[in-house]
Amino acid sequence: MMLSRIADSLFWIGRYMERADNTARILDVNYHMLLEQPPDTYKLRWDPLIAITGERSRFYKTYEEASSNTAFDFLGYSEENPNSIFQCIMSARENARTIRDRISREMWEDINTLYHKIIRLRDDGGGLSRFCEVVKRGGHRFHGVCDATLARDEGWHFVQSGCVLERAEMTARLLDVHYHQLVDGSAILNEARSHSWMAVLKSVAAYEFYKRQYSQIEPMKVSELLLLDARHPRSIRFNISALQSSLYAISGSVPGTYANEAERLTGKVHERLTYDNIEEIFDQGLHNFLTELQQTCKIVGEQITREYFHYAVAG
């Protein structure tokens, strides 16, 4: 069993890199949708993006309104936001620096290079679109380098656990926030609703995948893909399944059993995502389902911490 300090750093490298990538995606998609669509067509604007990151309260302590400039400042570089893209990349780099002897040289160089690129963009006044593109490409390289250079041992599975847990939670939050805006919220033009769901799909790189299967964009079908599809790498089911596999690999458990609370909770969620259909979830209330899912992801992260990293979780 590896040292808890090393496992902790690997897990959080995965989470921080995935968090930076996810935030860059939603920023970039919203920016381009606002540029490309007429003002009365694309309705979501910037406030929901702040809500998706879970930092709405912190944002409005500093800014009076959400705009492209304030959202980019807060989600991109802000030192006041511990989950800004720059802060996440800086934290990932610091974690990687402390365990350089336990990761591949390529992995360290990749994270370090991305960090310095982001600093240069900040100092040179690089715009939002260029910034997001660098971060997204950095996320792709990170996953490729990890897959190509890390042994499939406990370390790799801790990185994977961090990545897929973060991705599942972010997809649930993205779907929930947009669902309220587009289904439960005030009536808007059908065209506007369609463009907004298109933004949801593009935010998780699933637009082309969706269009190959359906001719029209419908909220229930979008929700089904993002929740229950076992094939797309950003669906919640796909990522919970990957999390379960990595947790089993770390503990040595076999399918159908569990060694700790994180595995038990992950198994419960996976069973429901496998056997429930989207009609049942909608009948029971999509918002409640997504809220419970986000809370479970939070608890799973805390239980992984308690089981493997050996320090108290802040309340």
Side-chain angles (χ1 to χ4, degrees):
M1 187 72 183
M2 67 168 49
L3 293 174
S4 60
R5 174 184 62 82
I6 297 169
D8 183 24
S9 291
L10 290 166
F11 178 77
W12 278 101
I13 288 171
R15 292 208 73 163
Y16 283 131
M17 291 298 293
E18 186 65 30
R19 191 172 297 174
D21 183 33
N22 288 333
T23 304
R25 286 176 181 278
I26 62 173
L27 262 176
D28 191 47
V29 167
N30 203 61
Y31 175 73
H32 282 98
M33 291 294 285
L34 286 170
L35 288 180
E36 296 165 5
Q37 305 300 333
D40 62 343
T41 299
Y42 185 63
K43 294 288 187 179
L44 286 180
R45 308 301 182 190
W46 295 100
D47 181 75
L49 271 67
I50 307 300
I52 289 167
T53 65
E55 295 290 349
R56 199 170 185 273
S57 175
R58 193 192 306 271
F59 176 85
Y60 284 106
K61 289 178 181 177
T62 305
Y63 305 96
E64 292 185 359
E65 64 176 357
S67 65
S68 61
N69 289 333
T70 59
F72 180 34
D73 182 58
F74 182 73
L75 297 179
Y77 286 109
S78 176
E79 295 181 1
E80 302 301 318
N81 176 14
N83 292 313
S84 71
I85 293 170
F86 178 71
Q87 292 295 317
C88 286
I89 293 172
M90 184 171 66
S91 296
R93 177 180 180 269
E94 181 60 21
N95 276 283
R97 186 190 63 78
T98 64
I99 57 168
R100 284 183 63 177
D101 60 328
R102 298 302 299 262
I103 60 176
S104 65
R105 174 179 57 82
E106 291 88 349
M107 182 177 173
W108 160 250
E109 290 178 350
D110 184 69
I111 296 173
N112 190 48
T113 298
L114 178 60
Y115 169 76
H116 287 289
K117 281 184 178 179
I118 295 302
I119 289 179
R120 285 197 297 273
L121 279 175
R122 181 193 62 188
D123 295 344
D124 294 343
L128 186 155
S129 183
R130 174 61 179 156
F131 173 83
C132 290
E133 186 64 24
V134 167
V135 175
K136 289 192 298 178
R137 289 186 180 276
H140 292 155
R141 283 196 309 272
F142 170 75
H143 290 295
V145 166
C146 287
D147 286 350
T149 66
L150 295 185
R152 297 308 192 262
D153 56 11
E154 287 178 337
W156 187 82
H157 285 291
F158 276 116
V159 175
Q160 285 296 107
S161 294
C163 285
V164 297
L165 179 60
E166 185 69 31
R167 189 178 293 179
E169 186 174 357
M170 179 63 88
T171 300
R173 194 180 298 123
L174 172 75
L175 184 57
D176 194 27
V177 168
H178 284 74
Y179 179 85
H180 275 294
Q181 290 287 322
L182 303 174
V183 179
D184 291 344
S186 58
I188 56 177
L189 298 172
N190 286 335
E191 185 181 5
R193 182 178 287 111
S194 177
H195 283 299
S196 297
W197 279 111
M198 187 188 305
V200 173
L201 290 166
K202 288 183 176 181
S203 295
V204 292
Y207 178 68
E208 291 80 7
F209 180 74
Y210 180 92
K211 292 297 289 182
R212 287 197 295 269
Q213 300 177 79
Y214 306 108
S215 58
Q216 294 184 330
I217 294 179
E218 301 176 16
M220 184 174 285
K221 290 178 179 177
V222 174
S223 300
E224 183 177 31
L225 188 156
L226 297 186
L227 273 170
L228 304 180
D229 199 289
R231 299 164 295 171
H232 196 275
R234 290 186 177 270
S235 81
I236 295 171
R237 178 180 170 185
F238 183 101
N239 285 283
I240 292 297
S241 178
L243 175 62
Q244 186 177 50
S245 296
S246 283
L247 292 178
Y248 281 162
I250 291 167
S251 71
S253 299
V254 297
T257 68
Y258 59 87
N260 51 60
E261 186 67 3
E263 289 181 18
R264 187 186 74 83
L265 291 172
T266 302
K268 282 184 65 177
V269 173
H270 185 253
E271 287 293 302
R272 188 164 184 193
L273 292 169
T274 300
Y275 294 110
D276 280 8
N277 60 44
I278 196 63
E279 289 81 9
E280 291 173 326
I281 292 173
F282 266 66
D283 287 344
Q284 296 163 13
L286 179 61
H287 171 62
N288 291 337
F289 183 86
L290 292 168
T291 299
E292 182 180 339
L293 185 58
Q294 291 170 66
Q295 182 63 22
T296 300
C297 287
K298 179 177 182 292
I299 295 172
V300 167
E302 293 172 351
Q303 291 299 325
I304 291 172
T305 294
R306 289 192 175 99
E307 182 68 23
Y308 295 110
F309 309 151
H310 307 297
Y311 56 77
V313 178

